[in-house]
Amino acid sequence: MNIPHEIHVSILENSSFTPSDLLNLALSCRQWAKYALSYLWRARKFNENDSLQRFISTLSKSNQQNLLFPYGEYITKIQLEADKLPPIIIDTNLINFLANVCPNLKDIQLQFAPKTRSESRKLPLNLLSDRLIRITLTNYEHIVNNNVSEDVEDVENVENVEKLKMLNEISTQNIARSIANFFINSPKPKPSNANDFNNNNNNNNNDTFDALCETVLPGNISSIRLYHPRMTLNIWERFTKCAGNSLLSIRIILKYASMTFEDPSEIVILFGKYCKNLRKFDLEALQYPPISRSAISVMFDNCLKLETIDAPISGDALDIIHTSKSLKSISFSDVVQGETLKTTFKMNNLQSLCLLKIDGPCDLLFLEMFPSLQHLQIWDFPLFDDDSVRKICSKSSIVKLELLKPTKVSDVALAAFASMTKLIIFTVRDRLPNVTQNGWFSLVNRPVRCPSWVRLSIGDGRKVCTKFFEILDKKHENLEALVVRGLTSGNIDDSVMQKLKFADAWNHCKESSHLHLIWPKRINNSNIVKIDSYKSY
């Protein structure tokens, strides 16, 4: 009982306790329960109604007096998924309940069922805006009556105060909310409550209400994820204005079938214009045209603190990325033509580059313009060969290298990678028909001046033999993770493997029909536990 608070916290934070371990610890005595249960309750995930209803019942006002601990105050993350039937219904009552019992909620993830997504724009998520810093919405929608032409949202209302006279017939609550929307840069909007929202639901003129915009308006939320949103460009513009300078990170996955516009470049321009403190911009828009050069230019010119961009960018954007003085990571998440990958300007600050697919010949000479490049990913490049390897190896600053389909490389390539003086994380996937056992030996028999491997992931282990693992065990003391897929049992001596640090992983691998060795063996260490597990409390 006299152990200082800091000791309890240190033990829990520096341990590898599983949820089961924490539960046993909580059941040992009330003192430990006080700390262990706070870890068990900090993240809650629900994908079916039964567990959600038990959660609501446990924390309801009628049961609070019977609880030994304030469980609701422990919760910092809530995740609701509409995966199972009947799907979880995310409605006003549920949001109001969370607002009342989770005062320390920081992160909320909501997945709406397809049949209820049209109501998501009406939810009073703004009741949580005083505490949330992250929000993730899947299948969020603002399409009035599922008809784009009937969307009465007018973005000019956010900028033109004179149009307030059009709101004479709106309730007092709606006027207050509209004024807050006009003055986006004001310190705080008028706080809403459940009664205000219920009154608005009964008003025929509430089609302009948008839950997402209302929630981000106070300026507390810095990280947002929108998966398959269905919103008009007017709502996108209103959202970016409301998010304003408070938004630091945005990830968007657009679904072509549910979108109301054709060019995602328009969204990029909006974020560039209104979210000038943006640090990370991540946009996935398959089946759409690439982001235009002009849209990228707007973002680079206005978002002067942007560090990471991952979007379907055309290759000729390399010519303008030097205009960003803050950019550290860029991912071309769409097909780029090899001939467009050229730049004449150095970028000393660029540290990470990902190319999803290169179509056509490319000499990779543009890599010379990134002297600080540490992380390089080249997923699909059919013409990648030993000559391409030499261009990469000339970049002595690379620490992490990931290749998806270098099917034409040979033993020479692996020896070259092994000689890179800073490379410690290496991933190569797909089959390598031209690589022999000697190639894998050279990969782990690194020159004296080269460091130990820290992480290795090999997608084709057919030619990997016992000696490969022996060298890793003996010479690579910093190795933290190893993945070798598709081993051939005839190449592995079981008696030798039992003496190495990979013994447990090998024994588990032998039970798999695919012979995938994963070391160390992965353990599910999630802090999300079913509420049934601790009915004692």
Side-chain angles (χ1 to χ4, degrees):
M1 296 294 291
N2 297 324
I3 296 177
H5 167 77
E6 293 77 14
I7 299 298
H8 289 96
V9 173
S10 179
I11 290 173
L12 292 174
E13 289 185 349
N14 295 287
S15 67
S16 57
F17 290 149
T18 65
S20 178
D21 296 332
L22 290 172
L23 179 59
N24 290 330
L25 188 61
L27 294 172
S28 64
C29 70
R30 181 166 180 151
Q31 182 74 359
W32 272 111
K34 176 182 177 181
Y35 296 98
L37 287 175
S38 66
Y39 278 76
L40 284 169
W41 274 83
R42 63 183 177 181
R44 305 254 56 84
K45 177 180 178 180
F46 305 99
N47 56 14
E48 45 86 20
N49 270 306
D50 288 345
S51 59
L52 176 60
Q53 293 306 315
R54 286 194 294 272
F55 169 78
I56 293 174
S57 176
T58 301
L59 297 183
S60 63
K61 288 185 178 180
S62 60
N63 285 335
Q64 283 183 2
Q65 60 184 356
N66 299 322
L67 301 177
L68 296 179
F69 301 101
Y71 301 120
E73 296 180 9
Y74 298 150
I75 299 173
T76 60
K77 179 179 179 180
I78 288 283
Q79 186 173 351
L80 301 173
E81 298 181 352
D83 288 338
K84 295 185 178 180
L85 295 176
I88 288 176
I89 303 301
I90 303 172
D91 57 13
T92 301
N93 291 333
L94 178 57
I95 299 302
N96 191 40
F97 173 79
L98 295 177
N100 289 329
V101 303
C102 303
N104 297 314
L105 188 64
K106 301 299 181 186
D107 186 345
I108 191 167
Q109 301 180 17
L110 305 177
Q111 177 182 335
F112 300 99
K115 292 183 179 180
T116 61
R117 62 184 289 177
S118 60
E119 300 300 316
S120 57
R121 66 183 176 86
K122 299 180 180 180
L123 291 175
L125 293 175
N126 52 319
L127 297 179
L128 303 170
S129 61
D130 61 335
R131 66 205 73 174
L132 290 178
I133 59 175
R134 290 180 295 274
I135 185 170
T136 300
L137 302 179
T138 302
N139 296 331
Y140 180 79
E141 179 172 317
H142 186 125
I143 302 290
V144 178
N145 295 327
N146 292 329
N147 190 333
V148 178
S149 64
E150 296 181 10
D151 187 358
V152 298
E153 175 63 40
D154 188 355
V155 176
E156 292 182 359
N157 286 344
V158 183
E159 301 173 330
N160 192 349
V161 180
E162 294 181 356
K163 290 191 177 181
L164 280 173
K165 62 184 180 181
M166 299 175 61
L167 304 174
N168 290 335
E169 298 180 358
I170 303 180
S171 65
T172 302
Q173 292 85 355
N174 272 350
I175 292 177
R177 178 176 290 108
S178 300
I179 292 174
N181 288 337
F182 294 134
F183 301 102
I184 291 173
N185 294 323
S186 60
K188 287 286 182 180
K190 176 184 179 297
S192 302
N193 57 55
N195 292 330
D196 290 339
F197 183 75
N198 290 333
N199 291 335
N200 291 332
N201 270 345
N202 295 326
N203 194 306
N204 293 329
N205 294 320
N206 73 330
D207 283 344
T208 59
F209 181 91
D210 182 78
L212 179 60
C213 295
E214 291 277 327
T215 307
V216 301
L217 186 57
N220 296 324
I221 298 178
S222 60
S223 178
I224 300 175
R225 304 291 180 265
L226 299 175
Y227 301 136
H228 311 145
R230 192 162 183 255
M231 299 152 55
T232 64
L233 277 176
N234 283 338
I235 295 299
W236 277 108
E237 182 163 3
R238 182 180 172 190
F239 162 63
T240 52
K241 287 182 177 180
C242 290
N245 293 334
S246 62
L247 185 62
L248 303 182
S249 175
I250 180 73
R251 173 166 169 72
I252 305 168
I253 297 181
L254 297 179
K255 190 175 182 181
Y256 185 80
S258 64
M259 295 312 298
T260 61
F261 52 91
E262 295 295 329
D263 191 356
S265 297
E266 297 178 85
I267 294 180
V268 176
I269 292 174
L270 293 176
F271 280 99
K273 287 173 61 177
Y274 302 117
C275 304
K276 297 185 179 181
N277 280 331
L278 203 61
R279 267 48 166 204
K280 182 177 181 179
F281 182 79
D282 188 345
L283 173 65
E284 184 176 325
L286 299 177
Q287 298 180 314
Y288 280 93
I291 305 301
S292 67
R293 178 189 174 102
S294 59
I296 294 296
S297 181
V298 170
M299 179 163 282
F300 287 168
D301 290 342
N302 294 303
C303 301
L304 302 181
K305 299 178 182 179
L306 186 68
E307 296 180 354
T308 301
I309 183 169
D310 185 344
I313 308 170
S314 58
D316 57 5
L318 271 181
D319 286 341
I320 61 172
I321 63 173
H322 68 277
T323 60
S324 171
K325 304 302 181 183
S326 59
L327 196 62
K328 295 180 181 179
S329 174
I330 183 169
S331 298
F332 292 81
S333 57
D334 200 356
V335 179
V336 295
Q337 300 299 318
E339 60 185 12
T340 66
L341 290 173
K342 299 177 181 179
T343 181
T344 56
F345 296 91
K346 278 193 175 184
M347 281 196 67
N348 294 321
N349 52 325
L350 191 68
Q351 298 177 6
S352 177
L353 176 65
C354 175
L355 297 163
L356 183 68
K357 184 174 182 178
I358 304 176
D359 190 15
C362 178
D363 54 18
L364 299 182
L365 288 176
F366 66 91
L367 294 177
E368 297 177 358
M369 310 308 292
F370 310 133
S372 302
L373 191 65
Q374 297 180 10
H375 179 200
L376 176 63
Q377 293 177 295
I378 301 179
W379 287 136
D380 191 354
F381 181 22
L383 300 181
F384 191 95
D385 54 17
D386 288 346
D387 187 56
S388 304
V389 171
R390 283 188 281 272
K391 300 294 194 308
I392 293 177
C393 292
S394 65
K395 300 298 300 173
S396 59
S397 60
I398 293 180
V399 174
K400 181 178 181 180
L401 177 63
E402 299 179 74
L403 305 173
L404 180 62
K405 294 183 177 181
T407 54
K408 295 185 177 182
V409 300
S410 63
D411 294 349
V412 175
L414 296 186
F417 291 141
S419 65
M420 296 177 68
T421 55
K422 292 187 178 180
L423 185 64
I424 57 176
I425 301 174
F426 180 58
T427 297
V428 56
R429 301 186 183 180
D430 212 340
R431 294 202 167 191
L432 304 178
N434 299 326
V435 173
T436 67
Q437 286 187 359
N438 291 331
W440 295 119
F441 293 156
S442 62
L443 182 68
V444 291
N445 261 324
R446 306 192 73 176
V448 176
R449 67 182 185 280
C450 296
S452 162
W453 288 117
V454 174
R455 297 179 188 172
L456 274 181
S457 181
I458 298 170
D460 183 5
R462 293 174 299 163
K463 300 294 180 63
V464 174
C465 65
T466 310
K467 186 177 179 181
F468 172 88
F469 294 102
E470 289 183 285
I471 298 173
L472 275 178
D473 186 70
K474 182 179 180 180
K475 294 186 176 182
H476 296 269
E477 65 282 354
N478 295 331
L479 188 66
E480 297 176 355
L482 173 68
V483 177
V484 184
R485 301 184 180 276
L487 290 166
T488 301
S489 58
N491 292 338
I492 308 297
D493 188 332
D494 182 74
S495 61
V496 175
M497 292 294 289
Q498 299 300 331
K499 301 176 183 178
L500 306 179
K501 60 185 176 184
F502 310 109
D504 289 341
W506 167 244
N507 291 332
H508 185 265
C509 170
K510 290 188 297 183
E511 300 174 0
S512 169
S513 59
H514 301 292
L515 286 182
H516 296 337
L517 185 142
I518 302 176
W519 176 86
K521 183 180 176 182
R522 294 173 185 169
I523 299 175
N524 185 8
N525 196 25
S526 172
N527 277 322
I528 298 175
V529 183
K530 291 184 179 179
I531 196 169
D532 298 351
S533 300
Y534 34 92
K535 287 183 177 178
S536 301
Y537 288 98

